[in-house]
Structures are given as structure tokens and as C-alpha cells.
Amino acid sequence: MTSSPRAAVEGSRRRGTSPWSLRLPGDRRIVRGSLPPLMALVNLTPASFSDGDRFTGAEPAVAPRRDKLRDGADILDLGAASSRPGGGVYGGGADEVSVDEEWHRLGPVLEGLRDLTDAPISVDTRKAEVARRALDAGADLVNDVSCLGDPDMAPLVAQRDVPVVLMHSRGELRTMQRGISFRDVVSEVTAELAAAVEGASEAGIARDQIVVDPGLGFGKTYEQNLTLLAQLPRLGELGLPILVGASRKSFLGKLGGDPAPQRLIPSLAAAAWSAAKGADIVRVHDAAETCALLRVWNAIAGAE
């Protein structure tokens, strides 16, 4: 089995040596070192703007996703139901898929990857039943863009004691890019994430297993996305690990790069800024390029 090349996952001997760590099944952890761990997107949706329709079936799909670990990814984030927000540049947004269809896309790839690597595997889903099947098949954490919108998700995460990413958004997925209204986007996002964390804690989820995500591109304008990135340290008031996922998002297209696969350079700039401003996990499409950038950035910072 292969492991993450940057050793973001450590055994119990490393406990207590990092500002934060997330407990995984099998006495493993994700820890924050000198660089934020890279979470590489693995899109398994046919409509994905990344690589969702390039592979069909489990066997040809597993190897290129495992290669993201060789490229420098620390965590693989598997998603099989699009969370594309509607009401803006994406029109009606993502179509809803059934639990069985989502699992049909996700399950074989997850199981294949689990057989090949002990690197952390995240499941990007809003459905508790999909999360349950994924955890049973070897997934390590849940990335929930609905912020525990499924009433069965919080009890599941609490019972399994796995890490969960709570992402901020407002409104329904299909319409959230319409009627956007914030007076102070950073203060309001921080306050609403604090409320979500409190609700998760009351549901039995351990606070030290929670990661927060400001939800760039989800119910925010172009300017608000930039403001959240500019003032990212304010989210540190929550005292929890921060995940930033700016990679290839539409607001970056305004700064150069359309369609989405051409947004590499803007995405790298956003990743570098996020790392410099305190992001604890950076979610990306282009693991090799982002890893190279962050290594150079870290080397220069260490030579100051």
C-alpha cells in the first residue's frame, strides 16, 4: 500500500506535536506540519468540469486518482454528486441524484483506492446514507457542503467519531447565487460557522474533529469571495482548522482563465495566499503544481 508522500498522516507516536490533528480510523491522524495538507479533488460525476467523464468503471478510474498522491496530495476527496451552485454562472446548478446512483459512482473507486493506499480518503457528500456506506468501505472523513443539512448526518459522524468539514453557504443549492446579501461577509460567515459548530457539538460531534470551510463560491459574490480570502485570519477566531477550496472556481475566471480547466494560475495564486494567511487544508484540482508551489514558498519563508 502507498502512503501520502508528505506524511500528513502520522501514527500515535506523533500525537501532541501539532497545533491540531484529526483522528482517523486505525489509529491514524492528519496533522498540520510546515505546509498545509493538500486535499485533492476526485470528481466522479459525469458533469464535472474536471475529470468526471474521463473514466468509466472502477479499474481505469482508480490508478489516475491514486496518482494524485504521488503528485503531492495528502488527502483524496471523492465526490460523486455535483454540488455546483445554481442561480449564477452555472444556471440551474447541479441536478439531484439518488443515494444509489451516487454510491454506484463512488463505491467501486473508493474500495479500489482503499485497497491500494492508507492515505486519508474523504467523501464529499450531503447524504448521510452515502456517508455511512463510504465509512463502512474505508473512508476516513466526511466533507459536507450542506453543513449537516441531512438530519441523519450529525448522529452518524458523532457515532463514528470521524472528522467532518462544515462548509458555509446560504440558501438552497439550486438558487443560492441569487439575491446574495451580506452586510459584513467575514463577520457573518464566521458567526454562522460558529453556530454550525455549536450545533454539531450539541449533536455529539467532538469539537476537535471539526474543520470549517468559508464556502467560496457558495452564495457569495465575486467581491465577497475575494474579501473572505483577504481576511482569512479572522476565521481563526473559531479556533478550528480552516479548509480553503478556491481551485478552479468561477470567481477566479474573472481574473484570467476560462473555461475552468484553464484556471490553473489563478488557482495557484489563491492557494499560495491561503497558505500564507493560515489555511490549514487546501483543497485543489492540480496537486502536483500546487505542491511544487507550496514547497518553494515554504523554503523561501524558512530562509527569512
Side-chain angles (χ1 to χ4, degrees), residues 7-56:
V9 181
E10 299 287 351
S12 59
R13 62 186 176 84
R14 287 292 305 275
R15 291 180 183 177
T17 63
S18 176
W20 61 265
S21 64
L22 301 171
R23 299 186 304 279
L24 305 180
D27 197 29
R28 296 143 62 230
R29 292 199 174 217
I30 301 173
V31 300
R32 173 67 150 91
S34 60
L35 291 174
L38 292 185
M39 174 184 278
L41 285 78
V42 177
N43 285 306
L44 302 172
T45 59
S48 166
F49 62 58
S50 181
D51 60 357
D53 59 356
R54 289 173 52 203
F55 309 98
T56 56

Side-chain angles (χ1 to χ4, degrees), residues 43-76:
N43 285 306
L44 302 172
T45 59
S48 166
F49 62 58
S50 181
D51 60 357
D53 59 356
R54 289 173 52 203
F55 309 98
T56 56
E59 190 63 30
V62 169
R65 277 56 187 261
R66 179 188 57 188
D67 288 347
K68 289 178 181 282
L69 297 170
R70 297 194 181 105
D71 289 342
D74 300 293
I75 306 163
L76 296 178

Side-chain angles (χ1 to χ4, degrees), residues 13-280:
R13 62 186 176 84
R14 287 292 305 275
R15 291 180 183 177
T17 63
S18 176
W20 61 265
S21 64
L22 301 171
R23 299 186 304 279
L24 305 180
D27 197 29
R28 296 143 62 230
R29 292 199 174 217
I30 301 173
V31 300
R32 173 67 150 91
S34 60
L35 291 174
L38 292 185
M39 174 184 278
L41 285 78
V42 177
N43 285 306
L44 302 172
T45 59
S48 166
F49 62 58
S50 181
D51 60 357
D53 59 356
R54 289 173 52 203
F55 309 98
T56 56
E59 190 63 30
V62 169
R65 277 56 187 261
R66 179 188 57 188
D67 288 347
K68 289 178 181 282
L69 297 170
R70 297 194 181 105
D71 289 342
D74 300 293
I75 306 163
L76 296 178
D77 188 36
L78 278 60
S82 176
S83 56
R84 186 174 63 250
V89 297
Y90 298 121
D95 293 328
E96 189 62 45
V97 298
S98 68
V99 166
D100 287 340
E101 175 60 24
E102 187 173 344
W103 182 246
H104 174 74
R105 300 171 183 175
L106 173 67
V109 178
L110 168 59
E111 291 165 357
L113 286 169
R114 187 75 293 165
D115 287 341
L116 295 173
T117 180
D118 61 0
I121 297 177
S122 167
V123 57
D124 178 359
T125 186
R126 293 168 280 148
K127 301 182 183 72
E129 176 58 21
V130 173
R132 184 192 65 76
R133 296 182 191 184
L135 293 171
D136 287 345
D140 298 299
L141 59 152
V142 176
N143 183 10
D144 184 0
V145 303
S146 75
C147 210
L148 306 178
D150 184 331
D152 294 326
M153 187 70 87
L156 172 70
V157 172
Q159 191 270 327
R160 299 297 182 94
D161 191 27
V162 293
V164 63
V165 179
L166 303 182
M167 192 198 78
H168 179 275
S169 66
R170 280 184 176 176
E172 296 295 324
L173 191 64
R174 294 185 62 83
T175 58
M176 64 174 53
Q177 289 304 109
R178 301 190 191 117
I180 299 169
S181 177
F182 288 94
R183 290 186 177 182
D184 181 335
V185 66
V186 180
S187 294
E188 291 174 55
V189 167
T190 303
E192 289 167 24
L193 281 173
V197 170
E198 183 65 22
S201 297
E202 291 175 355
I205 297 174
R207 186 179 176 87
D208 63 357
Q209 290 286 69
I210 298 174
V211 178
V212 294
D213 178 346
L216 300 176
F218 285 78
K220 284 93 176 173
T221 65
Y222 163 77
E223 293 82 7
Q224 289 162 357
N225 289 317
L226 294 181
T227 298
L228 282 165
L229 282 172
Q231 300 185 38
L232 191 63
R234 288 178 58 188
L235 286 178
E237 298 169 8
L238 297 172
L240 295 170
I242 301 167
L243 182 150
V244 175
S247 180
R248 299 196 193 180
K249 289 192 172 175
S250 61
F251 77 95
L252 293 178
K254 292 191 176 184
L255 298 168
D258 257 328
Q262 297 177 17
R263 297 174 190 158
L264 173 60
I265 293 175
S267 297
L268 291 175
W273 177 273
S274 300
K277 291 296 181 179
D280 295 288

